mmCIF file with all atom_site columns, all heavy atoms in Angstrom:
data_model
loop_
_atom_site.group_PDB
_atom_site.id
_atom_site.type_symbol
_atom_site.label_atom_id
_atom_site.label_alt_id
_atom_site.label_comp_id
_atom_site.label_asym_id
_atom_site.label_entity_id
_atom_site.label_seq_id
_atom_site.pdbx_PDB_ins_code
_atom_site.Cartn_x
_atom_site.Cartn_y
_atom_site.Cartn_z
_atom_site.occupancy
_atom_site.B_iso_or_equiv
_atom_site.pdbx_formal_charge
_atom_site.auth_seq_id
_atom_site.auth_comp_id
_atom_site.auth_asym_id
_atom_site.auth_atom_id
_atom_site.pdbx_PDB_model_num
ATOM 1   N N   . SER A 1 214 ? 17.905 29.587 -43.836 1.00 0.00 ? 214 SER A N   1
ATOM 2   C CA  . SER A 1 214 ? 16.914 28.660 -44.208 1.00 0.00 ? 214 SER A CA  1
ATOM 3   C C   . SER A 1 214 ? 15.477 29.220 -44.365 1.00 0.00 ? 214 SER A C   1
ATOM 4   O O   . SER A 1 214 ? 14.639 28.514 -44.852 1.00 0.00 ? 214 SER A O   1
ATOM 5   C CB  . SER A 1 214 ? 16.955 27.395 -43.292 1.00 0.00 ? 214 SER A CB  1
ATOM 6   O OG  . SER A 1 214 ? 16.596 27.791 -41.949 1.00 0.00 ? 214 SER A OG  1
ATOM 7   N N   . ILE A 1 215 ? 15.329 30.428 -43.873 1.00 0.00 ? 215 ILE A N   1
ATOM 8   C CA  . ILE A 1 215 ? 14.019 31.034 -44.074 1.00 0.00 ? 215 ILE A CA  1
ATOM 9   C C   . ILE A 1 215 ? 13.844 31.387 -45.527 1.00 0.00 ? 215 ILE A C   1
ATOM 10  O O   . ILE A 1 215 ? 12.740 31.185 -46.090 1.00 0.00 ? 215 ILE A O   1
ATOM 11  C CB  . ILE A 1 215 ? 13.916 32.377 -43.199 1.00 0.00 ? 215 ILE A CB  1
ATOM 12  C CG1 . ILE A 1 215 ? 14.051 32.084 -41.701 1.00 0.00 ? 215 ILE A CG1 1
ATOM 13  C CG2 . ILE A 1 215 ? 12.637 33.111 -43.515 1.00 0.00 ? 215 ILE A CG2 1
ATOM 14  C CD1 . ILE A 1 215 ? 14.171 33.288 -40.887 1.00 0.00 ? 215 ILE A CD1 1
ATOM 15  N N   . TYR A 1 216 ? 14.878 31.838 -46.208 1.00 0.00 ? 216 TYR A N   1
ATOM 16  C CA  . TYR A 1 216 ? 14.796 32.354 -47.542 1.00 0.00 ? 216 TYR A CA  1
ATOM 17  C C   . TYR A 1 216 ? 15.412 31.451 -48.614 1.00 0.00 ? 216 TYR A C   1
ATOM 18  O O   . TYR A 1 216 ? 15.095 31.563 -49.794 1.00 0.00 ? 216 TYR A O   1
ATOM 19  C CB  . TYR A 1 216 ? 15.482 33.684 -47.586 1.00 0.00 ? 216 TYR A CB  1
ATOM 20  C CG  . TYR A 1 216 ? 14.906 34.714 -46.550 1.00 0.00 ? 216 TYR A CG  1
ATOM 21  C CD1 . TYR A 1 216 ? 15.582 34.957 -45.414 1.00 0.00 ? 216 TYR A CD1 1
ATOM 22  C CD2 . TYR A 1 216 ? 13.689 35.311 -46.788 1.00 0.00 ? 216 TYR A CD2 1
ATOM 23  C CE1 . TYR A 1 216 ? 15.076 35.826 -44.441 1.00 0.00 ? 216 TYR A CE1 1
ATOM 24  C CE2 . TYR A 1 216 ? 13.193 36.197 -45.791 1.00 0.00 ? 216 TYR A CE2 1
ATOM 25  C CZ  . TYR A 1 216 ? 13.894 36.442 -44.577 1.00 0.00 ? 216 TYR A CZ  1
ATOM 26  O OH  . TYR A 1 216 ? 13.359 37.247 -43.703 1.00 0.00 ? 216 TYR A OH  1
ATOM 27  N N   . LEU A 1 217 ? 16.345 30.591 -48.285 1.00 0.00 ? 217 LEU A N   1
ATOM 28  C CA  . LEU A 1 217 ? 16.984 29.719 -49.156 1.00 0.00 ? 217 LEU A CA  1
ATOM 29  C C   . LEU A 1 217 ? 16.567 28.295 -49.072 1.00 0.00 ? 217 LEU A C   1
ATOM 30  O O   . LEU A 1 217 ? 16.061 27.915 -48.009 1.00 0.00 ? 217 LEU A O   1
ATOM 31  C CB  . LEU A 1 217 ? 18.546 29.832 -48.925 1.00 0.00 ? 217 LEU A CB  1
ATOM 32  C CG  . LEU A 1 217 ? 19.150 31.227 -48.916 1.00 0.00 ? 217 LEU A CG  1
ATOM 33  C CD1 . LEU A 1 217 ? 20.645 31.198 -48.634 1.00 0.00 ? 217 LEU A CD1 1
ATOM 34  C CD2 . LEU A 1 217 ? 18.841 31.962 -50.252 1.00 0.00 ? 217 LEU A CD2 1
ATOM 35  N N   . ARG A 1 218 ? 16.678 27.476 -50.096 1.00 0.00 ? 218 ARG A N   1
ATOM 36  C CA  . ARG A 1 218 ? 16.123 26.153 -50.134 1.00 0.00 ? 218 ARG A CA  1
ATOM 37  C C   . ARG A 1 218 ? 17.288 25.190 -50.570 1.00 0.00 ? 218 ARG A C   1
ATOM 38  O O   . ARG A 1 218 ? 18.143 25.570 -51.364 1.00 0.00 ? 218 ARG A O   1
ATOM 39  C CB  . ARG A 1 218 ? 14.979 26.090 -51.070 1.00 0.00 ? 218 ARG A CB  1
ATOM 40  C CG  . ARG A 1 218 ? 13.898 27.082 -50.905 1.00 0.00 ? 218 ARG A CG  1
ATOM 41  C CD  . ARG A 1 218 ? 13.026 26.738 -49.673 1.00 0.00 ? 218 ARG A CD  1
ATOM 42  N NE  . ARG A 1 218 ? 11.897 27.589 -49.579 1.00 0.00 ? 218 ARG A NE  1
ATOM 43  C CZ  . ARG A 1 218 ? 11.843 28.788 -49.001 1.00 0.00 ? 218 ARG A CZ  1
ATOM 44  N NH1 . ARG A 1 218 ? 12.946 29.270 -48.389 1.00 0.00 ? 218 ARG A NH1 1
ATOM 45  N NH2 . ARG A 1 218 ? 10.722 29.494 -48.935 1.00 0.00 ? 218 ARG A NH2 1
ATOM 46  N N   . GLN A 1 219 ? 17.113 23.959 -50.244 1.00 0.00 ? 219 GLN A N   1
ATOM 47  C CA  . GLN A 1 219 ? 17.851 22.866 -50.860 1.00 0.00 ? 219 GLN A CA  1
ATOM 48  C C   . GLN A 1 219 ? 16.937 21.688 -51.052 1.00 0.00 ? 219 GLN A C   1
ATOM 49  O O   . GLN A 1 219 ? 16.396 21.038 -50.121 1.00 0.00 ? 219 GLN A O   1
ATOM 50  C CB  . GLN A 1 219 ? 19.020 22.363 -49.935 1.00 0.00 ? 219 GLN A CB  1
ATOM 51  C CG  . GLN A 1 219 ? 19.782 21.188 -50.548 1.00 0.00 ? 219 GLN A CG  1
ATOM 52  C CD  . GLN A 1 219 ? 20.275 21.423 -51.886 1.00 0.00 ? 219 GLN A CD  1
ATOM 53  O OE1 . GLN A 1 219 ? 20.988 22.441 -52.151 1.00 0.00 ? 219 GLN A OE1 1
ATOM 54  N NE2 . GLN A 1 219 ? 19.888 20.628 -52.867 1.00 0.00 ? 219 GLN A NE2 1
ATOM 55  N N   . ARG A 1 220 ? 16.587 21.467 -52.277 1.00 0.00 ? 220 ARG A N   1
ATOM 56  C CA  . ARG A 1 220 ? 15.523 20.461 -52.648 1.00 0.00 ? 220 ARG A CA  1
ATOM 57  C C   . ARG A 1 220 ? 15.926 19.100 -52.147 1.00 0.00 ? 220 ARG A C   1
ATOM 58  O O   . ARG A 1 220 ? 17.022 18.650 -52.310 1.00 0.00 ? 220 ARG A O   1
ATOM 59  C CB  . ARG A 1 220 ? 15.332 20.423 -54.151 1.00 0.00 ? 220 ARG A CB  1
ATOM 60  C CG  . ARG A 1 220 ? 14.287 19.487 -54.624 1.00 0.00 ? 220 ARG A CG  1
ATOM 61  C CD  . ARG A 1 220 ? 13.979 19.679 -56.116 1.00 0.00 ? 220 ARG A CD  1
ATOM 62  N NE  . ARG A 1 220 ? 12.846 18.885 -56.558 1.00 0.00 ? 220 ARG A NE  1
ATOM 63  C CZ  . ARG A 1 220 ? 12.214 19.073 -57.689 1.00 0.00 ? 220 ARG A CZ  1
ATOM 64  N NH1 . ARG A 1 220 ? 12.487 20.160 -58.432 1.00 0.00 ? 220 ARG A NH1 1
ATOM 65  N NH2 . ARG A 1 220 ? 11.248 18.291 -58.015 1.00 0.00 ? 220 ARG A NH2 1
ATOM 66  N N   . GLY A 1 221 ? 14.975 18.457 -51.385 1.00 0.00 ? 221 GLY A N   1
ATOM 67  C CA  . GLY A 1 221 ? 15.212 17.125 -50.940 1.00 0.00 ? 221 GLY A CA  1
ATOM 68  C C   . GLY A 1 221 ? 15.847 17.020 -49.513 1.00 0.00 ? 221 GLY A C   1
ATOM 69  O O   . GLY A 1 221 ? 15.918 15.874 -49.006 1.00 0.00 ? 221 GLY A O   1
ATOM 70  N N   . SER A 1 222 ? 16.320 18.141 -48.998 1.00 0.00 ? 222 SER A N   1
ATOM 71  C CA  . SER A 1 222 ? 16.957 18.058 -47.686 1.00 0.00 ? 222 SER A CA  1
ATOM 72  C C   . SER A 1 222 ? 15.948 18.334 -46.549 1.00 0.00 ? 222 SER A C   1
ATOM 73  O O   . SER A 1 222 ? 15.139 19.252 -46.635 1.00 0.00 ? 222 SER A O   1
ATOM 74  C CB  . SER A 1 222 ? 18.068 19.150 -47.620 1.00 0.00 ? 222 SER A CB  1
ATOM 75  O OG  . SER A 1 222 ? 18.668 19.116 -46.267 1.00 0.00 ? 222 SER A OG  1
ATOM 76  N N   . PRO A 1 223 ? 16.007 17.487 -45.492 1.00 0.00 ? 223 PRO A N   1
ATOM 77  C CA  . PRO A 1 223 ? 15.105 17.708 -44.354 1.00 0.00 ? 223 PRO A CA  1
ATOM 78  C C   . PRO A 1 223 ? 15.485 18.941 -43.571 1.00 0.00 ? 223 PRO A C   1
ATOM 79  O O   . PRO A 1 223 ? 14.757 19.379 -42.673 1.00 0.00 ? 223 PRO A O   1
ATOM 80  C CB  . PRO A 1 223 ? 15.287 16.418 -43.558 1.00 0.00 ? 223 PRO A CB  1
ATOM 81  C CG  . PRO A 1 223 ? 16.659 15.944 -43.867 1.00 0.00 ? 223 PRO A CG  1
ATOM 82  C CD  . PRO A 1 223 ? 16.833 16.267 -45.321 1.00 0.00 ? 223 PRO A CD  1
ATOM 83  N N   . GLU A 1 224 ? 16.656 19.542 -43.872 1.00 0.00 ? 224 GLU A N   1
ATOM 84  C CA  . GLU A 1 224 ? 17.090 20.756 -43.206 1.00 0.00 ? 224 GLU A CA  1
ATOM 85  C C   . GLU A 1 224 ? 16.555 21.970 -43.926 1.00 0.00 ? 224 GLU A C   1
ATOM 86  O O   . GLU A 1 224 ? 16.836 23.090 -43.432 1.00 0.00 ? 224 GLU A O   1
ATOM 87  C CB  . GLU A 1 224 ? 18.635 20.811 -43.166 1.00 0.00 ? 224 GLU A CB  1
ATOM 88  C CG  . GLU A 1 224 ? 19.217 19.653 -42.400 1.00 0.00 ? 224 GLU A CG  1
ATOM 89  C CD  . GLU A 1 224 ? 18.678 19.407 -41.004 1.00 0.00 ? 224 GLU A CD  1
ATOM 90  O OE1 . GLU A 1 224 ? 18.543 20.477 -40.293 1.00 0.00 ? 224 GLU A OE1 1
ATOM 91  O OE2 . GLU A 1 224 ? 18.410 18.287 -40.590 1.00 0.00 ? 224 GLU A OE2 1
ATOM 92  N N   . SER A 1 225 ? 15.851 21.776 -45.004 1.00 0.00 ? 225 SER A N   1
ATOM 93  C CA  . SER A 1 225 ? 15.232 22.901 -45.818 1.00 0.00 ? 225 SER A CA  1
ATOM 94  C C   . SER A 1 225 ? 13.765 22.736 -45.918 1.00 0.00 ? 225 SER A C   1
ATOM 95  O O   . SER A 1 225 ? 13.213 21.596 -45.863 1.00 0.00 ? 225 SER A O   1
ATOM 96  C CB  . SER A 1 225 ? 15.939 22.941 -47.151 1.00 0.00 ? 225 SER A CB  1
ATOM 97  O OG  . SER A 1 225 ? 15.260 23.786 -48.025 1.00 0.00 ? 225 SER A OG  1
ATOM 98  N N   . LYS A 1 226 ? 13.058 23.819 -46.097 1.00 0.00 ? 226 LYS A N   1
ATOM 99  C CA  . LYS A 1 226 ? 11.640 23.782 -46.472 1.00 0.00 ? 226 LYS A CA  1
ATOM 100 C C   . LYS A 1 226 ? 11.547 23.303 -47.874 1.00 0.00 ? 226 LYS A C   1
ATOM 101 O O   . LYS A 1 226 ? 12.472 23.348 -48.688 1.00 0.00 ? 226 LYS A O   1
ATOM 102 C CB  . LYS A 1 226 ? 11.017 25.124 -46.240 1.00 0.00 ? 226 LYS A CB  1
ATOM 103 C CG  . LYS A 1 226 ? 11.029 25.653 -44.847 1.00 0.00 ? 226 LYS A CG  1
ATOM 104 C CD  . LYS A 1 226 ? 10.296 26.928 -44.697 1.00 0.00 ? 226 LYS A CD  1
ATOM 105 C CE  . LYS A 1 226 ? 11.131 28.099 -45.230 1.00 0.00 ? 226 LYS A CE  1
ATOM 106 N NZ  . LYS A 1 226 ? 10.517 29.413 -44.912 1.00 0.00 ? 226 LYS A NZ  1
ATOM 107 N N   . PRO A 1 227 ? 10.309 22.816 -48.283 1.00 0.00 ? 227 PRO A N   1
ATOM 108 C CA  . PRO A 1 227 ? 10.065 22.518 -49.695 1.00 0.00 ? 227 PRO A CA  1
ATOM 109 C C   . PRO A 1 227 ? 10.356 23.784 -50.535 1.00 0.00 ? 227 PRO A C   1
ATOM 110 O O   . PRO A 1 227 ? 10.182 24.838 -50.072 1.00 0.00 ? 227 PRO A O   1
ATOM 111 C CB  . PRO A 1 227 ? 8.606  22.143 -49.705 1.00 0.00 ? 227 PRO A CB  1
ATOM 112 C CG  . PRO A 1 227 ? 8.363  21.653 -48.358 1.00 0.00 ? 227 PRO A CG  1
ATOM 113 C CD  . PRO A 1 227 ? 9.213  22.433 -47.393 1.00 0.00 ? 227 PRO A CD  1
ATOM 114 N N   . VAL A 1 228 ? 10.835 23.570 -51.765 1.00 0.00 ? 228 VAL A N   1
ATOM 115 C CA  . VAL A 1 228 ? 11.298 24.680 -52.574 1.00 0.00 ? 228 VAL A CA  1
ATOM 116 C C   . VAL A 1 228 ? 10.118 25.721 -52.721 1.00 0.00 ? 228 VAL A C   1
ATOM 117 O O   . VAL A 1 228 ? 10.358 26.912 -52.712 1.00 0.00 ? 228 VAL A O   1
ATOM 118 C CB  . VAL A 1 228 ? 11.744 24.214 -53.967 1.00 0.00 ? 228 VAL A CB  1
ATOM 119 C CG1 . VAL A 1 228 ? 12.137 25.346 -54.825 1.00 0.00 ? 228 VAL A CG1 1
ATOM 120 C CG2 . VAL A 1 228 ? 12.926 23.235 -53.773 1.00 0.00 ? 228 VAL A CG2 1
ATOM 121 N N   . GLY A 1 229 ? 8.910  25.247 -52.825 1.00 0.00 ? 229 GLY A N   1
ATOM 122 C CA  . GLY A 1 229 ? 7.805  26.161 -52.995 1.00 0.00 ? 229 GLY A CA  1
ATOM 123 C C   . GLY A 1 229 ? 7.176  26.696 -51.762 1.00 0.00 ? 229 GLY A C   1
ATOM 124 O O   . GLY A 1 229 ? 6.116  27.440 -51.903 1.00 0.00 ? 229 GLY A O   1
ATOM 125 N N   . ALA A 1 230 ? 7.668  26.358 -50.641 1.00 0.00 ? 230 ALA A N   1
ATOM 126 C CA  . ALA A 1 230 ? 7.046  26.805 -49.395 1.00 0.00 ? 230 ALA A CA  1
ATOM 127 C C   . ALA A 1 230 ? 7.265  28.285 -49.180 1.00 0.00 ? 230 ALA A C   1
ATOM 128 O O   . ALA A 1 230 ? 8.353  28.861 -49.657 1.00 0.00 ? 230 ALA A O   1
ATOM 129 C CB  . ALA A 1 230 ? 7.621  26.063 -48.186 1.00 0.00 ? 230 ALA A CB  1
ATOM 130 N N   . ALA A 1 231 ? 6.313  28.944 -48.516 1.00 0.00 ? 231 ALA A N   1
ATOM 131 C CA  . ALA A 1 231 ? 6.419  30.361 -48.296 1.00 0.00 ? 231 ALA A CA  1
ATOM 132 C C   . ALA A 1 231 ? 7.549  30.674 -47.332 1.00 0.00 ? 231 ALA A C   1
ATOM 133 O O   . ALA A 1 231 ? 7.892  29.847 -46.498 1.00 0.00 ? 231 ALA A O   1
ATOM 134 C CB  . ALA A 1 231 ? 5.099  30.897 -47.735 1.00 0.00 ? 231 ALA A CB  1
ATOM 135 N N   . HIS A 1 232 ? 8.100  31.915 -47.400 1.00 0.00 ? 232 HIS A N   1
ATOM 136 C CA  . HIS A 1 232 ? 9.178  32.233 -46.563 1.00 0.00 ? 232 HIS A CA  1
ATOM 137 C C   . HIS A 1 232 ? 8.799  32.185 -45.104 1.00 0.00 ? 232 HIS A C   1
ATOM 138 O O   . HIS A 1 232 ? 9.602  31.928 -44.210 1.00 0.00 ? 232 HIS A O   1
ATOM 139 C CB  . HIS A 1 232 ? 9.659  33.673 -46.965 1.00 0.00 ? 232 HIS A CB  1
ATOM 140 C CG  . HIS A 1 232 ? 10.446 33.728 -48.187 1.00 0.00 ? 232 HIS A CG  1
ATOM 141 N ND1 . HIS A 1 232 ? 11.236 32.679 -48.679 1.00 0.00 ? 232 HIS A ND1 1
ATOM 142 C CD2 . HIS A 1 232 ? 10.592 34.685 -49.169 1.00 0.00 ? 232 HIS A CD2 1
ATOM 143 C CE1 . HIS A 1 232 ? 11.779 32.974 -49.795 1.00 0.00 ? 232 HIS A CE1 1
ATOM 144 N NE2 . HIS A 1 232 ? 11.378 34.228 -50.125 1.00 0.00 ? 232 HIS A NE2 1
ATOM 145 N N   . ASP A 1 233 ? 7.530  32.552 -44.764 1.00 0.00 ? 233 ASP A N   1
ATOM 146 C CA  . ASP A 1 233 ? 7.105  32.575 -43.427 1.00 0.00 ? 233 ASP A CA  1
ATOM 147 C C   . ASP A 1 233 ? 6.613  31.230 -42.828 1.00 0.00 ? 233 ASP A C   1
ATOM 148 O O   . ASP A 1 233 ? 6.160  31.135 -41.693 1.00 0.00 ? 233 ASP A O   1
ATOM 149 C CB  . ASP A 1 233 ? 6.072  33.684 -43.147 1.00 0.00 ? 233 ASP A CB  1
ATOM 150 C CG  . ASP A 1 233 ? 4.785  33.472 -43.951 1.00 0.00 ? 233 ASP A CG  1
ATOM 151 O OD1 . ASP A 1 233 ? 4.725  32.530 -44.741 1.00 0.00 ? 233 ASP A OD1 1
ATOM 152 O OD2 . ASP A 1 233 ? 3.859  34.230 -43.764 1.00 0.00 ? 233 ASP A OD2 1
ATOM 153 N N   . ALA A 1 234 ? 6.633  30.176 -43.709 1.00 0.00 ? 234 ALA A N   1
ATOM 154 C CA  . ALA A 1 234 ? 6.227  28.872 -43.279 1.00 0.00 ? 234 ALA A CA  1
ATOM 155 C C   . ALA A 1 234 ? 7.316  28.345 -42.219 1.00 0.00 ? 234 ALA A C   1
ATOM 156 O O   . ALA A 1 234 ? 8.496  28.338 -42.530 1.00 0.00 ? 234 ALA A O   1
ATOM 157 C CB  . ALA A 1 234 ? 6.173  27.898 -44.427 1.00 0.00 ? 234 ALA A CB  1
ATOM 158 N N   . THR A 1 235 ? 6.841  27.926 -41.060 1.00 0.00 ? 235 THR A N   1
ATOM 159 C CA  . THR A 1 235 ? 7.729  27.630 -39.946 1.00 0.00 ? 235 THR A CA  1
ATOM 160 C C   . THR A 1 235 ? 7.592  26.143 -39.557 1.00 0.00 ? 235 THR A C   1
ATOM 161 O O   . THR A 1 235 ? 6.498  25.641 -39.510 1.00 0.00 ? 235 THR A O   1
ATOM 162 C CB  . THR A 1 235 ? 7.437  28.488 -38.756 1.00 0.00 ? 235 THR A CB  1
ATOM 163 O OG1 . THR A 1 235 ? 7.429  29.850 -39.142 1.00 0.00 ? 235 THR A OG1 1
ATOM 164 C CG2 . THR A 1 235 ? 8.480  28.331 -37.643 1.00 0.00 ? 235 THR A CG2 1
ATOM 165 N N   . GLY A 1 236 ? 8.762  25.549 -39.292 1.00 0.00 ? 236 GLY A N   1
ATOM 166 C CA  . GLY A 1 236 ? 8.718  24.155 -38.845 1.00 0.00 ? 236 GLY A CA  1
ATOM 167 C C   . GLY A 1 236 ? 8.394  23.155 -39.995 1.00 0.00 ? 236 GLY A C   1
ATOM 168 O O   . GLY A 1 236 ? 7.962  22.040 -39.622 1.00 0.00 ? 236 GLY A O   1
ATOM 169 N N   . VAL A 1 237 ? 8.471  23.593 -41.210 1.00 0.00 ? 237 VAL A N   1
ATOM 170 C CA  . VAL A 1 237 ? 8.137  22.700 -42.299 1.00 0.00 ? 237 VAL A CA  1
ATOM 171 C C   . VAL A 1 237 ? 9.446  22.178 -42.949 1.00 0.00 ? 237 VAL A C   1
ATOM 172 O O   . VAL A 1 237 ? 10.284 22.986 -43.271 1.00 0.00 ? 237 VAL A O   1
ATOM 173 C CB  . VAL A 1 237 ? 7.347  23.444 -43.392 1.00 0.00 ? 237 VAL A CB  1
ATOM 174 C CG1 . VAL A 1 237 ? 6.989  22.553 -44.538 1.00 0.00 ? 237 VAL A CG1 1
ATOM 175 C CG2 . VAL A 1 237 ? 6.050  24.019 -42.772 1.00 0.00 ? 237 VAL A CG2 1
ATOM 176 N N   . GLU A 1 238 ? 9.531  20.840 -43.120 1.00 0.00 ? 238 GLU A N   1
ATOM 177 C CA  . GLU A 1 238 ? 10.742 20.274 -43.711 1.00 0.00 ? 238 GLU A CA  1
ATOM 178 C C   . GLU A 1 238 ? 10.474 19.741 -45.087 1.00 0.00 ? 238 GLU A C   1
ATOM 179 O O   . GLU A 1 238 ? 9.356  19.313 -45.398 1.00 0.00 ? 238 GLU A O   1
ATOM 180 C CB  . GLU A 1 238 ? 11.220 19.130 -42.821 1.00 0.00 ? 238 GLU A CB  1
ATOM 181 C CG  . GLU A 1 238 ? 11.620 19.553 -41.435 1.00 0.00 ? 238 GLU A CG  1
ATOM 182 C CD  . GLU A 1 238 ? 12.098 18.435 -40.568 1.00 0.00 ? 238 GLU A CD  1
ATOM 183 O OE1 . GLU A 1 238 ? 11.820 17.220 -40.968 1.00 0.00 ? 238 GLU A OE1 1
ATOM 184 O OE2 . GLU A 1 238 ? 12.648 18.634 -39.474 1.00 0.00 ? 238 GLU A OE2 1
ATOM 185 N N   . GLY A 1 239 ? 11.481 19.795 -45.934 1.00 0.00 ? 239 GLY A N   1
ATOM 186 C CA  . GLY A 1 239 ? 11.412 19.401 -47.346 1.00 0.00 ? 239 GLY A CA  1
ATOM 187 C C   . GLY A 1 239 ? 11.485 17.886 -47.494 1.00 0.00 ? 239 GLY A C   1
ATOM 188 O O   . GLY A 1 239 ? 11.900 17.171 -46.585 1.00 0.00 ? 239 GLY A O   1
#
Side-chain angles (χ1 to χ4, degrees):
S214 59
I215 298 173
Y216 306 103
L217 306 180
R218 309 284 190 271
Q219 178 55 59
R220 184 169 183 162
S222 175
E224 302 304 316
S225 168
K226 293 184 288 190
V228 177
H232 288 328
D233 62 355
T235 308
V237 180
E238 297 179 348

